[in-house]
Amino acid sequence: MFNDALTTSKQHSARRVAWRVAAVGTALALTLTGCSSGGGDNSSGNGSKNVKVDEVRLGTILPLTGSTAQNGNNSLHGIELAVEQINAAGGIKSMGGAKIKLSTADATSDAAKAASAATQFLSKGEPPLAIVGAYASGLTITVARVTERAKVPLLSTGFADELTHQGYKYFFQLPPASSLMGAAQFNYAIDIAKDAGKSIDKVAIVYANNAYGESQAKALKAQADKAGKTVVLNEGYSPNITDAGPIVSKIVASKPDAIYSIAYVPDSVLLMRALKAQGSDVPIFGGTGGYITPDFVKALGDQVNDVFSITTSNPDGYGDIGAAYLKKYGEFMPQEAHDNAAAVYVFAQALEEHPTTDSTDLAKYLHEGKFDQGAAASMPGGFVDFDETGVNVNAKPVMVQWQNKSLIGVWPADIVKGKPVWPGQ
Amino acid sequence: MDILNHVAQSVANGLLIGSVYALISVGLTLIFGVMNIVNFAHGEFLMVGMFGAYFASTAFGLDPLWIAPLIGIAGFLLGALVERTIIEPIIKAPQSAQIIATVGLGIILANGAAAIFGNNFLSVKTPYQGETFSLFGLHFAATFVYAAAYAVVMAVLLALFLNKTRFGKAMRATAQNRGAAQLLGIDPKRMYMVAFGLGVALVTLAGSVILPYTLVYPFIGQQYVLIMFTVVVLGGLGSIRGAIIAGLVVGVIQSLSTLLLPSELQNLPVFIVFFIALVLISGGVLSRVRNASVKLKRS
């Protein structure tokens, strides 16, 4: 069909160029994932030890660019909204009405860059009193090392278990750890099926093979073995897939009673579309990530109905801050926005009850207090309570379901109002 | 029988996705073949095409498949403009300068899109997204079938353009020998502008065509860039026929590998083949065949 004479004059250099192009192309693909744009930091010379201050500095490090940028930006919206609300209500009253001054750094979606962003953030000007971040577990792991060394409390919504297994004294995890989330995702699904008169015996587990996906999948597998269920498929995939067809073929071929999926937005949408195209009607239990985002419903419309997901807080219980978020951003408050807002409320309440300008002192009080103000009150159980390892002992996973294109908390019955609907009934 | 069916289905899926790979890569090889410039911003032009298709289709309520030709035309104009303003001044510069220029352009496009549109995942809804065609017991997702059909049509049109039109022949002449072509009255600057425009047109059109089965966000170009370069280098830099065949080969290898290997390793066999091709065969798989045929013609 083609005469293909485009290269005949270049035969001699073809191999050299081919190698060079291959090398540069590969290097590009590997290094350019998420180009940092840096965060806007303002350093004010406020080094007073007096507890009556004009402002308290709160930092946030989030993935604002790259593959998890959207979750990072949602988180930032939640944090900004919480800061706005607290400042509008008079700031930290016990510290003379000190206002929270927020500064932001971009962790990108790359763990190595996240650590250097954190280092830069903490070495520049006066360090913040505490930091909220860094959304993704993979990023939080590297950021936590930096904040621990700098002795600055890191209030995190990362799930990974290992975060609280390091003996860190300045790390605080608001949501339940991955292992709890995985176990709940598995067991709640079994309970919901039983409640609907169904049974789940064969399960398929598919996950994005990053820190978050792998640790949660491991928990699911362990739970399945414990419950004596057959895992007919246990498959990881690159979070950068551009086509979910092959994975979905494997899912369909394995004929499961339920699909457990750990995915971010792009892969969750690709999976859902491919499942529909291959005619699957197997119930899907997502593991937070993409399954509970506004983009998920925007991309899929009615197709989201009946899909379940485990999450860290009940989206139809977000109250005032949820309503304020909807008004300001025109979409429902995502889980990561809420939980990060809760972290800001924890920070503010800790200072309110224990005025200090010393990070170590603040960390000590964060371990001692119980926090139930604002968004912290809409975390499961109604308050946040950290033990000495930084685990929120009060955290409890919630199963939500898309019903009429809204996220409704459906399990366990003692902390939610909604009722689960078994797909196809 | 069941296994045979699985293999057949995998090959079919591979051919569908492979033709998409060919379509997104062919512009890259065209630009290199004519201009000897590697456009590292090619993935970002795909993203631009996807955003263009998204906004055009939501604004006018039209399917991205209908809008694709218009996106292609807009892409052509954008490509021609970029060639005149950014590529033309560095056409004779050292290769490192050209790499920096196109890499920089890619970074600006991706981050520009992030600044303008935000880091959101956007996608369109079309009525056929959940549909499947069945043939001989095999199933084909409608979105992929339409994208593959577009790829075939574009390949035929491109072949006709390069082989049958005066302009296409002039473009090939420029690729073969710029000096001789110029002596015969062909304006190479015009050829370069059109070649770059065509390359960008093809990839932006591809962006529009694949939008129904995927979603768009500012950094999606990076997901495709590795595949693009694999296809183009495997096919032999500058070889359009090579890129088309390599696209299909990569698609089929990826798809077949998932039968045996975990999904997370789907690119491993592709890169093994890629590596072998680089080590064993100078300038891509097809060069051996091409060299042979050149010799044949001369004898």
Side-chain angles (χ1 to χ4, degrees), chain A residues 1-7 9-11 15 17 20-21 24 28 32-33 64 67 69-70 73 209 235-236 240 242-243 246-247 250 266 269-270 273 276-277 295 298-299, chain B residues 33 38 40 95 119-121 123-125 129-130 132 144 159 163 172 175-176 212-215 222-224 229 237-241 244 258 261-264 279 290-291:
Chain A
M1 186 156 66
F2 293 99
N3 280 345
D4 217 55
L6 290 177
T7 51
S9 65
K10 305 177 194 76
Q11 283 307 315
R15 180 199 283 243
V17 176
R20 196 175 303 165
V21 169
V24 176
L28 257 185
L32 275 183
T33 27
L64 302 176
S67 58
Q70 198 200 14
N73 283 293
N209 63 358
E235 185 93 347
N240 293 335
T242 53
D243 166 26
I247 297 150
K250 285 191 177 184
V269 171
L270 290 174
R273 287 211 180 126
K276 176 99 192 292
D295 278 356
K298 271 190 229 154
Chain B
V38 181
F40 286 102
Q95 215 171 22
N119 268 302
N120 297 317
F121 299 94
S123 77
V124 291
K125 280 197 277 290
Q129 259 159 352
T132 326
F144 283 91
N163 293 324
R172 276 173 38 228
Q176 283 166 27
Y213 77 78
T214 181
L215 21 68
Q222 288 156 13
Q223 317 260 34
Y224 284 93
F229 279 102
L237 273 163
S239 165
I240 289 167
R241 183 176 49 190
I244 291 171
T258 51
L261 295 171
S263 305
E264 50 197 332
V279 170
R290 197 164 49 221
N291 285 342

Coordinates of all heavy atoms in Angstrom, one line a residue, chain A residues 1-7 9-11 15 17 20-21 24 28 32-33 64 67 69-70 73 209 235-236 240 242-243 246-247 250 266 269-270 273 276-277 295 298-299, chain B residues 33 38 40 95 119-121 123-125 129-130 132 144 159 163 172 175-176 212-215 222-224 229 237-241 244 258 261-264 279 290-291:
Chain A
M1 N 0.8 -1.2 0.0 CA 0.0 0.0 0.0 C 0.9 1.3 0.0 O 0.6 2.2 -0.7 CB -0.9 0.0 1.2 CG -1.9 1.1 1.2 SD -3.3 0.8 2.2 CE -2.7 0.7 3.9
F2 N 1.9 1.2 0.8 CA 2.8 2.4 0.9 C 4.1 2.2 0.2 O 4.7 1.1 0.3 CB 3.1 2.8 2.3 CG 1.9 3.2 3.1 CD1 1.2 2.4 3.9 CD2 1.5 4.5 2.9 CE1 0.1 2.8 4.6 CE2 0.4 4.9 3.6 CZ -0.3 4.1 4.4
N3 N 4.6 3.1 -0.6 CA 5.9 3.0 -1.2 C 7.0 3.1 -0.1 O 8.1 2.6 -0.3 CB 6.1 4.1 -2.2 CG 5.4 3.7 -3.5 OD1 5.0 2.6 -3.7 ND2 5.3 4.7 -4.4
D4 N 6.7 3.7 0.9 CA 7.5 3.7 2.1 C 8.9 4.2 1.8 O 9.9 3.5 2.2 CB 7.6 2.3 2.7 CG 7.6 2.4 4.1 OD1 6.7 3.0 4.7 OD2 8.6 1.8 4.7
A5 N 9.0 5.2 1.1 CA 10.4 5.7 0.7 C 10.8 6.8 1.6 O 11.8 7.5 1.3 CB 10.4 6.1 -0.7
L6 N 10.1 7.0 2.7 CA 10.3 8.2 3.5 C 11.7 8.2 4.1 O 12.3 9.2 4.4 CB 9.3 8.4 4.6 CG 7.9 8.8 4.0 CD1 6.9 8.8 5.2 CD2 7.9 10.1 3.3
T7 N 12.2 7.0 4.3 CA 13.5 6.9 5.1 C 14.7 6.5 4.3 O 15.8 6.4 4.9 CB 13.3 5.9 6.3 OG1 12.8 4.7 5.8 CG2 12.5 6.5 7.3
S9 N 16.9 7.8 2.6 CA 18.1 8.5 2.7 C 18.7 8.5 4.0 O 19.8 9.0 4.3 CB 17.8 10.0 2.3 OG 16.9 10.5 3.3
K10 N 18.1 7.8 5.0 CA 18.6 7.9 6.3 C 19.0 6.5 6.9 O 19.1 6.3 8.1 CB 17.5 8.5 7.2 CG 17.0 9.8 6.8 CD 15.9 10.3 7.7 CE 15.2 11.5 7.0 NZ 14.3 11.1 6.0
Q11 N 19.2 5.6 6.0 CA 19.5 4.2 6.4 C 20.6 4.2 7.4 O 20.6 3.4 8.4 CB 19.7 3.3 5.2 CG 18.5 2.9 4.5 CD 17.4 2.3 5.4 OE1 17.7 1.5 6.3 NE2 16.2 2.8 5.3
R15 N 19.7 3.3 13.0 CA 19.9 2.5 14.2 C 20.2 3.5 15.4 O 19.6 3.4 16.5 CB 20.9 1.4 14.1 CG 21.1 0.7 15.4 CD 22.4 -0.1 15.5 NE 22.3 -1.3 14.6 CZ 22.4 -2.5 15.1 NH1 22.6 -2.7 16.4 NH2 22.4 -3.5 14.3
V17 N 19.6 6.7 15.6 CA 18.5 7.6 15.9 C 17.4 6.8 16.7 O 16.9 7.2 17.7 CB 17.9 8.2 14.7 CG1 16.7 9.0 15.0 CG2 19.0 9.1 14.0
R20 N 18.4 6.4 20.2 CA 18.3 7.7 20.9 C 16.9 8.0 21.2 O 16.5 8.4 22.3 CB 18.9 8.8 20.1 CG 19.2 10.0 20.9 CD 20.0 11.1 20.1 NE 21.2 10.6 19.6 CZ 21.9 11.3 18.6 NH1 21.4 12.4 18.1 NH2 23.0 10.8 18.2
V21 N 16.0 7.8 20.2 CA 14.6 8.1 20.4 C 14.0 7.2 21.4 O 13.3 7.7 22.3 CB 13.9 8.0 19.1 CG1 12.4 8.0 19.3 CG2 14.3 9.1 18.1
V24 N 15.3 8.5 24.9 CA 14.6 9.7 25.3 C 13.2 9.5 25.6 O 12.6 10.0 26.6 CB 14.9 10.9 24.3 CG1 14.1 12.1 24.7 CG2 16.3 11.2 24.1
L28 N 11.5 10.1 29.1 CA 10.4 11.1 29.2 C 9.2 10.5 30.0 O 8.7 11.1 30.9 CB 9.9 11.5 27.8 CG 10.4 12.8 27.2 CD1 9.7 12.9 25.9 CD2 10.0 13.9 28.2
L32 N 8.5 12.4 33.4 CA 7.7 13.6 33.3 C 6.3 13.4 33.9 O 5.5 14.3 33.8 CB 7.5 13.9 31.8 CG 8.6 14.8 31.2 CD1 8.2 15.1 29.7 CD2 8.8 16.0 31.9
T33 N 6.1 12.3 34.6 CA 4.8 12.1 35.2 C 4.6 13.1 36.3 O 5.0 13.0 37.4 CB 4.7 10.7 35.8 OG1 6.0 10.2 36.1 CG2 4.1 9.7 34.8
L64 N -1.2 18.0 43.5 CA -2.0 18.9 42.7 C -1.8 18.8 41.2 O -2.5 19.3 40.4 CB -1.7 20.4 43.1 CG -2.0 20.6 44.6 CD1 -1.6 22.0 45.0 CD2 -3.4 20.4 45.0
S67 N -1.3 12.0 38.1 CA -2.4 11.1 38.0 C -3.4 11.2 39.1 O -4.6 10.9 38.9 CB -1.9 9.7 37.8 OG -1.1 9.4 39.0
A69 N -4.1 14.0 40.7 CA -4.3 15.5 40.9 C -5.7 15.8 41.3 O -5.9 16.7 42.2 CB -3.9 16.2 39.7
Q70 N -6.7 15.1 40.7 CA -8.0 15.5 41.1 C -8.4 15.3 42.5 O -9.0 16.2 43.2 CB -9.0 14.8 40.2 CG -10.3 15.5 40.2 CD -11.5 14.7 39.8 OE1 -11.4 13.5 39.8 NE2 -12.6 15.4 39.6
N73 N -6.7 18.0 44.5 CA -7.4 19.3 44.4 C -8.7 19.3 45.2 O -9.1 20.3 45.8 CB -7.7 19.7 42.9 CG -6.4 20.2 42.3 OD1 -5.9 21.3 42.7 ND2 -5.8 19.5 41.4
N209 N -2.0 -1.6 40.8 CA -0.8 -2.1 41.6 C 0.1 -1.0 42.2 O 1.3 -1.0 42.0 CB 0.0 -3.1 40.8 CG 0.6 -2.5 39.5 OD1 0.4 -1.3 39.3 ND2 1.3 -3.2 38.8
E235 N -6.1 -10.0 40.6 CA -5.3 -9.5 39.5 C -4.9 -8.0 39.7 O -5.8 -7.2 39.9 CB -6.1 -9.6 38.2 CG -5.4 -9.2 37.0 CD -4.7 -10.4 36.3 OE1 -4.6 -11.5 36.9 OE2 -4.3 -10.3 35.1
G236 N -3.7 -7.7 39.6 CA -3.2 -6.3 39.7 C -3.0 -5.8 38.3 O -2.9 -6.5 37.3
N240 N -2.0 3.1 35.1 CA -2.0 4.0 33.9 C -2.6 3.3 32.7 O -2.4 3.7 31.6 CB -0.5 4.3 33.5 CG 0.1 5.2 34.6 OD1 -0.6 5.9 35.3 ND2 1.4 5.2 34.7
T242 N -4.8 2.2 29.6 CA -5.6 3.0 28.7 C -6.8 2.1 28.2 O -7.6 2.6 27.4 CB -4.8 3.5 27.6 OG1 -4.1 2.4 26.9 CG2 -3.8 4.5 28.0
D243 N -6.8 0.9 28.5 CA -7.9 0.0 28.0 C -8.1 -1.1 29.1 O -7.1 -1.8 29.4 CB -7.4 -0.6 26.7 CG -8.2 -1.8 26.3 OD1 -9.4 -1.9 26.7 OD2 -7.7 -2.7 25.5
P246 N -8.8 -6.3 28.5 CA -8.2 -7.5 28.9 C -8.6 -7.9 30.3 O -8.8 -9.1 30.6 CB -6.7 -7.3 28.7 CG -6.6 -6.2 27.7 CD -7.8 -5.3 28.0
I247 N -8.5 -7.0 31.3 CA -8.8 -7.3 32.7 C -10.3 -7.8 32.8 O -10.6 -8.8 33.5 CB -8.6 -6.1 33.6 CG1 -7.1 -5.8 33.5 CG2 -8.9 -6.4 35.0 CD1 -6.8 -4.3 33.7
K250 N -10.9 -11.2 31.7 CA -10.5 -12.2 32.8 C -11.6 -12.3 33.9 O -11.9 -13.3 34.4 CB -9.2 -11.8 33.4 CG -8.0 -12.0 32.5 CD -6.7 -11.9 33.3 CE -5.5 -12.2 32.4 NZ -4.3 -12.2 33.2
P266 N -9.7 7.2 36.6 CA -9.7 6.7 35.2 C -9.9 5.2 35.1 O -10.7 4.8 34.2 CB -8.3 7.1 34.7 CG -7.7 8.0 35.7 CD -8.5 7.8 37.0
V269 N -13.5 4.1 35.7 CA -14.5 4.4 34.6 C -14.2 3.4 33.5 O -15.2 2.8 32.9 CB -14.3 5.8 34.1 CG1 -15.1 6.1 32.8 CG2 -14.8 6.8 35.2
L270 N -12.9 3.1 33.2 CA -12.6 2.2 32.1 C -13.2 0.8 32.4 O -13.8 0.1 31.6 CB -11.1 2.1 31.9 CG -10.4 3.3 31.3 CD1 -8.9 3.1 31.3 CD2 -10.9 3.6 29.9
R273 N -17.1 0.7 32.1 CA -17.5 0.7 30.7 C -17.3 -0.6 30.1 O -18.1 -1.2 29.3 CB -16.7 1.8 29.9 CG -17.2 3.2 30.2 CD -17.1 4.1 29.0 NE -17.6 5.4 29.4 CZ -16.9 6.5 29.3 NH1 -15.6 6.5 28.7 NH2 -17.4 7.7 29.6
K276 N -19.7 -3.2 31.3 CA -21.0 -3.0 30.6 C -21.0 -3.6 29.2 O -21.9 -4.3 28.8 CB -21.4 -1.5 30.6 CG -22.7 -1.2 29.9 CD -23.8 -1.0 30.9 CE -25.2 -0.9 30.2 NZ -25.3 0.3 29.4
A277 N -19.9 -3.3 28.5 CA -19.8 -3.7 27.1 C -19.7 -5.3 27.0 O -20.2 -5.8 26.1 CB -18.5 -3.1 26.5
D295 N -16.6 12.7 39.6 CA -16.3 12.4 38.2 C -16.8 11.0 37.8 O -17.1 10.8 36.6 CB -14.8 12.4 38.0 CG -14.3 13.9 37.7 OD1 -15.2 14.8 37.7 OD2 -13.1 14.1 37.6
K298 N -20.3 11.6 36.8 CA -20.4 12.4 35.6 C -20.0 11.6 34.4 O -20.6 11.8 33.3 CB -19.4 13.6 35.7 CG -20.0 14.8 36.4 CD -19.1 16.0 36.3 CE -18.9 16.7 37.6 NZ -17.6 17.4 37.8
A299 N -19.1 10.7 34.5 CA -18.6 9.9 33.3 C -19.6 8.9 33.0 O -19.8 8.5 31.8 CB -17.3 9.3 33.6
Chain B
G33 N 9.6 11.2 9.2 CA 10.0 10.8 7.9 C 10.3 12.0 7.0 O 11.3 12.0 6.3
V38 N 11.9 14.6 15.7 CA 11.1 13.7 16.6 C 10.2 14.7 17.5 O 10.7 15.5 18.2 CB 11.9 12.9 17.5 CG1 11.1 12.0 18.4 CG2 12.9 12.0 16.7
F40 N 8.3 15.2 20.4 CA 8.1 14.6 21.7 C 6.8 15.2 22.3 O 6.4 14.7 23.4 CB 9.2 14.9 22.6 CG 10.4 14.0 22.3 CD1 11.5 14.4 21.6 CD2 10.4 12.6 22.7 CE1 12.5 13.6 21.3 CE2 11.4 11.8 22.4 CZ 12.5 12.3 21.7
Q95 N 20.2 18.2 17.1 CA 19.1 17.4 17.5 C 18.7 17.7 19.0 O 17.5 17.7 19.3 CB 19.4 15.9 17.4 CG 18.3 15.1 17.0 CD 18.6 13.7 16.6 OE1 19.7 13.2 17.0 NE2 17.8 13.0 15.9
N119 N -7.5 20.0 36.8 CA -7.1 18.6 36.8 C -8.3 17.7 36.9 O -8.3 16.9 37.9 CB -6.1 18.3 37.9 CG -4.7 18.5 37.4 OD1 -4.2 17.9 36.4 ND2 -3.9 19.4 38.0
N120 N -9.2 17.8 36.0 CA -10.4 16.9 36.1 C -10.4 15.8 35.1 O -9.7 15.9 34.1 CB -11.7 17.8 35.9 CG -11.8 18.8 37.0 OD1 -11.6 18.6 38.1 ND2 -12.2 20.0 36.6
F121 N -11.1 14.8 35.4 CA -11.3 13.7 34.4 C -12.6 13.9 33.7 O -13.6 13.9 34.3 CB -11.3 12.3 35.1 CG -10.0 12.0 35.8 CD1 -9.9 12.3 37.2 CD2 -8.9 11.5 35.2 CE1 -8.7 12.1 37.9 CE2 -7.8 11.2 35.9 CZ -7.7 11.5 37.2
S123 N -15.3 13.1 30.5 CA -15.6 12.1 29.5 C -17.0 12.3 28.9 O -17.8 13.0 29.6 CB -15.5 10.7 30.0 OG -16.6 10.4 30.8
V124 N -17.2 11.8 27.7 CA -18.5 12.0 27.1 C -19.4 10.8 27.3 O -18.9 9.7 27.5 CB -18.3 12.3 25.6 CG1 -17.7 13.7 25.4 CG2 -17.6 11.2 24.9
K125 N -20.7 11.0 27.2 CA -21.6 9.8 27.2 C -22.2 9.7 25.8 O -22.7 10.6 25.2 CB -22.7 10.1 28.2 CG -22.2 9.8 29.6 CD -23.4 9.6 30.6 CE -24.0 10.9 31.1 NZ -23.1 11.6 32.0
Q129 N -22.0 3.3 24.1 CA -20.9 2.9 25.0 C -21.0 1.5 25.6 O -19.9 0.9 25.8 CB -20.7 3.9 26.1 CG -19.6 4.9 25.8 CD -19.7 6.2 26.6 OE1 -20.7 6.5 27.2 NE2 -18.7 7.0 26.5
G130 N -22.2 1.1 25.8 CA -22.3 -0.3 26.4 C -22.6 -1.3 25.4 O -22.8 -2.5 25.7
T132 N -22.3 -4.0 22.1 CA -21.3 -4.9 21.6 C -21.8 -5.5 20.3 O -23.0 -5.8 20.2 CB -21.1 -6.1 22.6 OG1 -21.3 -5.6 23.9 CG2 -19.8 -6.7 22.5
F144 N -14.7 0.5 20.4 CA -13.4 0.1 19.8 C -13.6 -0.2 18.3 O -12.7 0.1 17.5 CB -12.8 -1.1 20.5 CG -12.2 -0.8 21.8 CD1 -13.0 -0.9 22.9 CD2 -10.9 -0.4 21.9 CE1 -12.4 -0.6 24.2 CE2 -10.3 -0.1 23.1 CZ -11.1 -0.2 24.2
A159 N -2.6 6.9 2.5 CA -1.9 6.2 1.4 C -2.2 6.8 0.1 O -1.3 7.0 -0.7 CB -2.3 4.7 1.5
N163 N 0.6 8.6 -2.2 CA 1.0 7.9 -3.4 C 0.4 8.4 -4.7 O 0.9 8.3 -5.8 CB 0.7 6.4 -3.3 CG 1.6 5.8 -2.2 OD1 2.7 6.1 -2.1 ND2 1.0 4.8 -1.5
R172 N 6.9 13.2 -0.4 CA 7.9 12.0 -0.3 C 9.2 12.4 -1.0 O 10.3 12.0 -0.5 CB 7.2 10.8 -1.0 CG 6.3 10.1 0.0 CD 5.5 9.0 -0.7 NE 6.3 8.2 -1.6 CZ 5.8 7.9 -2.9 NH1 4.6 8.3 -3.2 NH2 6.5 7.2 -3.7
A175 N 11.2 14.2 1.5 CA 11.7 13.3 2.5 C 12.9 12.6 2.0 O 13.9 12.4 2.7 CB 10.6 12.3 2.9
Q176 N 12.9 12.2 0.7 CA 14.0 11.4 0.2 C 15.3 12.3 0.0 O 16.4 11.9 0.3 CB 13.6 10.8 -1.1 CG 12.7 9.5 -0.9 CD 12.1 9.1 -2.2 OE1 12.6 9.3 -3.3 NE2 10.9 8.5 -2.1
P212 N -14.8 8.3 23.1 CA -16.0 7.6 23.7 C -15.6 6.4 24.6 O -16.4 6.0 25.4 CB -16.6 7.0 22.4 CG -16.3 8.0 21.3 CD -14.9 8.4 21.7
Y213 N -14.4 5.8 24.4 CA -14.1 4.7 25.3 C -13.2 5.0 26.5 O -12.9 4.2 27.3 CB -13.6 3.4 24.5 CG -12.2 3.4 24.1 CD1 -11.2 3.1 24.9 CD2 -11.9 3.7 22.7 CE1 -9.9 3.1 24.5 CE2 -10.6 3.7 22.3 CZ -9.6 3.4 23.2 OH -8.3 3.4 22.7
T214 N -12.7 6.3 26.5 CA -11.8 6.6 27.6 C -12.2 7.9 28.2 O -13.3 8.3 28.0 CB -10.3 6.6 27.1 OG1 -9.5 6.9 28.2 CG2 -10.1 7.6 25.9
L215 N -11.3 8.6 28.9 CA -11.6 9.9 29.4 C -10.4 10.7 29.3 O -9.3 10.2 29.0 CB -12.1 9.8 30.9 CG -11.7 8.7 31.8 CD1 -10.2 8.6 32.0 CD2 -12.5 8.7 33.0
Q222 N 0.9 11.4 28.6 CA 2.0 10.6 29.1 C 1.7 9.1 29.1 O 2.6 8.3 29.1 CB 2.4 11.1 30.5 CG 3.1 12.4 30.4 CD 3.0 13.2 31.7 OE1 2.6 12.7 32.7 NE2 3.4 14.5 31.6
Q223 N 0.4 8.8 29.2 CA 0.0 7.4 29.2 C 0.2 6.8 27.9 O 0.4 5.5 27.7 CB -1.5 7.2 29.6 CG -2.0 8.1 30.6 CD -2.1 7.4 31.9 OE1 -1.3 6.5 32.2 NE2 -3.0 7.8 32.8
Y224 N 0.2 7.6 26.8 CA 0.2 7.0 25.5 C 1.6 7.2 24.8 O 1.9 6.5 23.9 CB -0.8 7.8 24.6 CG -2.2 7.3 24.8 CD1 -3.1 8.0 25.7 CD2 -2.7 6.2 24.2 CE1 -4.3 7.6 26.0 CE2 -4.0 5.8 24.4 CZ -4.8 6.5 25.3 OH -6.1 6.0 25.5
F229 N 6.0 5.7 20.9 CA 7.4 5.6 20.6 C 7.7 4.1 20.3 O 8.5 3.8 19.4 CB 8.3 6.2 21.6 CG 8.4 7.7 21.4 CD1 7.7 8.5 22.3 CD2 9.2 8.2 20.4 CE1 7.7 9.9 22.1 CE2 9.2 9.6 20.2 CZ 8.5 10.4 21.0
L237 N 11.6 4.2 12.2 CA 11.3 5.6 12.2 C 11.1 6.1 10.8 O 11.9 6.0 9.9 CB 12.5 6.3 12.8 CG 12.5 6.4 14.3 CD1 13.9 6.8 14.8 CD2 11.5 7.5 14.8
G238 N 10.0 6.8 10.6 CA 9.7 7.4 9.3 C 8.9 6.5 8.4 O 8.5 6.9 7.4
S239 N 8.7 5.2 8.8 CA 8.0 4.3 7.9 C 6.5 4.3 8.3 O 6.2 3.8 9.4 CB 8.6 2.9 8.0 OG 7.7 2.0 7.5
I240 N 5.7 4.7 7.4 CA 4.2 4.7 7.8 C 3.7 3.3 7.8 O 2.9 2.9 8.7 CB 3.5 5.6 6.7 CG1 3.9 7.1 7.1 CG2 2.0 5.5 6.8 CD1 3.5 8.1 6.0
R241 N 4.0 2.6 6.7 CA 3.6 1.2 6.7 C 4.1 0.4 8.0 O 3.3 -0.3 8.6 CB 4.0 0.5 5.4 CG 3.5 -0.9 5.3 CD 4.0 -1.5 4.0 NE 5.4 -1.3 3.8 CZ 6.0 -1.6 2.6 NH1 5.3 -2.0 1.6 NH2 7.3 -1.4 2.5
I244 N 2.0 1.3 11.0 CA 0.7 0.6 11.0 C 0.8 -0.9 11.4 O 0.1 -1.3 12.3 CB 0.0 0.8 9.7 CG1 -0.3 2.2 9.5 CG2 -1.2 -0.1 9.6 CD1 -0.8 2.6 8.1
T258 N -2.0 -11.1 28.1 CA -2.9 -11.2 29.3 C -3.5 -12.5 29.4 O -4.1 -12.8 30.5 CB -4.0 -10.1 29.2 OG1 -4.6 -10.1 28.0 CG2 -3.4 -8.7 29.4
L261 N -0.1 -14.0 31.2 CA 0.6 -13.3 32.3 C -0.4 -12.4 33.0 O -1.5 -12.2 32.5 CB 1.6 -12.3 31.6 CG 2.8 -12.9 30.9 CD1 3.6 -11.9 30.2 CD2 3.7 -13.6 31.9
P262 N -0.1 -12.0 34.3 CA -1.0 -11.1 35.0 C -1.1 -9.8 34.2 O -0.2 -9.4 33.5 CB -0.2 -10.8 36.3 CG 0.8 -11.9 36.4 CD 1.1 -12.4 35.0
S263 N -2.2 -9.1 34.3 CA -2.4 -7.9 33.6 C -1.4 -6.8 33.8 O -1.0 -6.1 32.9 CB -3.8 -7.2 34.0 OG -4.8 -8.2 33.8
E264 N -0.8 -6.8 35.0 CA 0.2 -5.8 35.3 C 1.5 -6.0 34.4 O 2.3 -5.0 34.3 CB 0.5 -5.7 36.8 CG 0.9 -7.0 37.4 CD 0.8 -6.9 38.9 OE1 1.0 -5.9 39.5 OE2 0.5 -8.0 39.6
V279 N 18.0 -4.4 19.1 CA 19.3 -5.0 19.1 C 19.6 -5.6 17.8 O 20.7 -5.5 17.2 CB 19.4 -6.0 20.2 CG1 20.7 -6.8 20.1 CG2 19.4 -5.2 21.6
R290 N 12.7 -3.8 3.5 CA 12.8 -2.6 2.6 C 14.2 -2.7 1.9 O 14.3 -2.5 0.7 CB 12.7 -1.4 3.5 CG 12.4 -0.1 2.6 CD 11.9 1.0 3.5 NE 12.8 1.1 4.7 CZ 12.4 1.4 5.9 NH1 11.1 1.4 6.2 NH2 13.3 1.5 6.9
N291 N 15.2 -2.9 2.7 CA 16.6 -3.0 2.1 C 16.6 -4.0 0.9 O 17.1 -3.8 -0.1 CB 17.6 -3.4 3.1 CG 17.9 -2.2 4.0 OD1 17.6 -1.0 3.6 ND2 18.5 -2.4 5.1

